[in-house]
Amino acid sequence: GFETLQEAVDAAPIGGTVVLRQDVDVASAVTIGKSITLDLNGHAVSGASSCTVYVHGSQGEAKVVIRNSTRA
């Protein structure tokens, strides 16, 4: 496994899927610069109000699908 969500995102191939195995508390911004699926697998991603998930890519080429969240 990976120690951080950023490490898992970085290791995922373009078009790949990152599946959470537990709730994730992020301590700093997570940057996604490629198309991936983030499968929450019923878990949650949380963090301080200053923690953000950034999706960026030139000309809209980075697309992120977030699925399977059952938490409120």
Side-chain angles (χ1 to χ4, degrees), residues 1-64:
F2 299 95
E3 294 205 17
T4 67
L5 180 57
Q6 186 68 66
E7 288 176 1
V9 166
D10 291 346
I14 294 171
T17 301
V18 173
V19 180
L20 297 188
R21 296 178 188 246
Q22 62 188 26
D23 290 347
V24 175
D25 186 28
V26 293
S28 60
V30 176
T31 302
I32 303 172
K34 58 189 165 191
S35 296
I36 63 167
T37 297
L38 180 57
D39 185 343
L40 300 180
N41 194 26
H43 298 287
V45 176
S46 58
S49 61
S50 62
C51 295
T52 308
V53 175
Y54 294 103
V55 179
H56 70 88
S58 63
Q59 301 175 3
E61 63 194 34
K63 294 176 177 57
V64 175

